[in-house]
Amino acid sequence: MNMMAGTVPLSLTVNGEEVARMVAPRTTLADFLRTDLELTATHVGCEMGACGACLVLLDGVPVHSCLVFAVQAQGQSVETVEGLVASGALAPLQQAFHERNALQCGFCTPGMLVNAHALIARGSVPDREEIRDAISGNYCRCTGYEAIVDAIEAAARKANGEGAE
Amino acid sequence: MKARAFAYARPSSLAEAHAAFAGADGDASFISGGQSLVPALAMRLQAPQVLIDLSAIPEMRGVRLDGETLRIGALTRHAETLTEPLIRAHAPLLAAAAPFVAHPAIRNRGTVGGSVALADPASEFPAMMLAMGAEMEISGVDGMRRVAADDFFQDLYQTAIEPGEILVALHVPAAGPRHVCAFDEMARRRGDYAMVGGGILAERDGAVIVNPRIALFSVGPTPVRARNAEAEIAGKALDADTIAAAQRALDADIDPLDDAEIPAAMRRHLARVLLGRLLRKLETCS
């Protein structure tokens, strides 16, 4: 074990690519992604785990990247909205958000998409209460949540072959 | 809203973790899931010289049944309590409480041990340790010791853990077919801290309730055993009169203070209502 001051070496996988950088231990994963890797789809709102704009997948599950220091992600796998868009994984959700007008300013949307993606990936159609529970830690301050729940529900139905209503 | 600079250590054993703490002259914080600590660092409520990451310490991981006791590693994440079969079978109260702990993304990261060690009086898991009669396994430089939940929570954010000690695991008496349990809380919004919450674990012999343990949270500086209410239901069937008597007795168990949002009288009222709901829905939980 090393007691490390200054910057420390960090290697992890981001959107499928190996990344190695020197980071200050106090750098959050959110700041590392945005500043060091210029992956700015991860939004930083409250920096205290309340708003949900900074969600990323860490080893496959949604976490607040503002509540993880980058050094804690050593050896782990991070997927950001950029990666999920590039792979096409978010396309049905993006389409549903577009069709339902489920965003206005768009600041909260990346976090909404990450949580909605993880919810739909569970493989069944969630009811509206489950959708609301899943995004209960995602704040939207402009549209209200009705259209967002509509969009997630529509995308979940489509993903499970039920077609849009 | 950025943490002050700190050095970072990720020990791979408890001995190394204690050495790191000593090496920092005690000016260090231990981090497991970090879902409460990282905001505290960001707001500079804490600004340690060294952050000691406990995530690579093997003794703190995993869930296993040791005879009649379930050992839950302190690093077990909240989300795992919802899916781990041993917890669902033998510590069902924990699994029942987990959906109420914060939001899903926080549950993916936060740890049971971190929550219990922090001892937020509005948190679900510390109170469930009381209800389950758990023992805390604590590591210090001189070795391990065990502290019963009844002696563990001492005051606001203050537990039996001494500076430099580490909560390693939680030992929960394994629940079985005779046990009944219930969990509920009242919050203004799903995932918010509860205005009042609680859990009950008991055995049922026919219609009669035996060895009830009732624990409430958000009713004072620590989670609270409702011993007077327990006494009212022990050895009795849960009819309307018994439940009403337990609700009356609860007044002597809790001493909530007025705060900016909720007057003490309202919290007392909500606690009585909650106890009634819990007692009416006590059922087999494993």
Side-chain angles (χ1 to χ4, degrees), chain A residues 1-5 25-26 31 46-49 55 58 61-64 66-69 71-72 74 76 133-134 136-137 139, chain B residues 1-11 16 20 31-32 35 38-39 41 44 50-51 53 103-106 108-109 189-190:
Chain A
M1 179 194 65
N2 292 315
M3 198 89 93
M4 300 172 287
R26 71 168 181 155
D31 286 342
C46 66
E47 300 191 288
M48 51 185 277
L55 292 183
L58 182 60
V61 296
V63 304
H64 294 85
C66 76
L67 295 189
V68 180
F69 292 114
V71 284
Q72 293 178 277
Q74 168 65 34
Q76 296 180 36
D133 186 46
S136 61
Y139 285 5
Chain B
M1 292 294 287
K2 307 283 182 193
R4 200 183 72 178
F6 51 78
Y8 174 77
R10 187 168 48 237
E16 284 184 4
I31 188 168
S32 56
Q35 301 302 281
V38 178
L41 294 173
R44 304 203 177 190
V50 182
L51 190 68
D53 183 346
H103 305 289
I106 301 283
N108 285 336
R109 189 82 192 149
R189 229 176 52 111
R190 187 67 179 251

Side-chain angles (χ1 to χ4, degrees), chain A residues 15 17 21 36 43 58 60 82-83 90 94 110-111 114 122 130 142-143 151-152:
Chain A
N15 297 330
E17 289 184 22
R21 291 284 194 285
D36 294 60
H43 287 176
L58 182 60
E82 286 92 344
L90 285 184
Q94 289 175 298
V114 169
R122 293 196 322 207
E130 287 174 292
C142 31
T143 71
I152 295 171

Side-chain angles (χ1 to χ4, degrees), chain A residues 146-163:
Chain A
E146 201 65 19
I148 295 170
V149 175
D150 286 348
I152 295 171
E153 187 180 25
R157 287 188 185 285
K158 206 167 179 182
N160 285 273
E162 291 186 19

Side-chain angles (χ1 to χ4, degrees), chain B residues 224-241:
Chain B
V224 173
R225 275 282 294 283
R227 292 175 190 274
N228 290 292
E230 289 171 5
E232 287 295 335
I233 64 170
K236 294 182 188 154
L238 286 177
D239 55 29
D241 288 346

Side-chain angles (χ1 to χ4, degrees), chain B residues 72-98:
Chain B
I72 302 172
L75 292 172
T76 303
R77 300 197 193 277
H78 302 333
E80 291 176 70
T81 65
L82 288 164
T83 55
E84 166 57 50
L86 284 172
I87 291 180
R88 297 190 70 86
H90 300 297
L93 199 50
L94 208 53

Side-chain angles (χ1 to χ4, degrees), chain A residues 3 31 36 38 40 57 73 75 77 80 85 97 101 116 124 126 140:
Chain A
M3 198 89 93
D31 286 342
D36 294 60
E38 297 185 6
T40 53
L57 298 181
S77 173
T80 70
V85 166
F97 270 58
N101 263 339
S124 57
C140 169

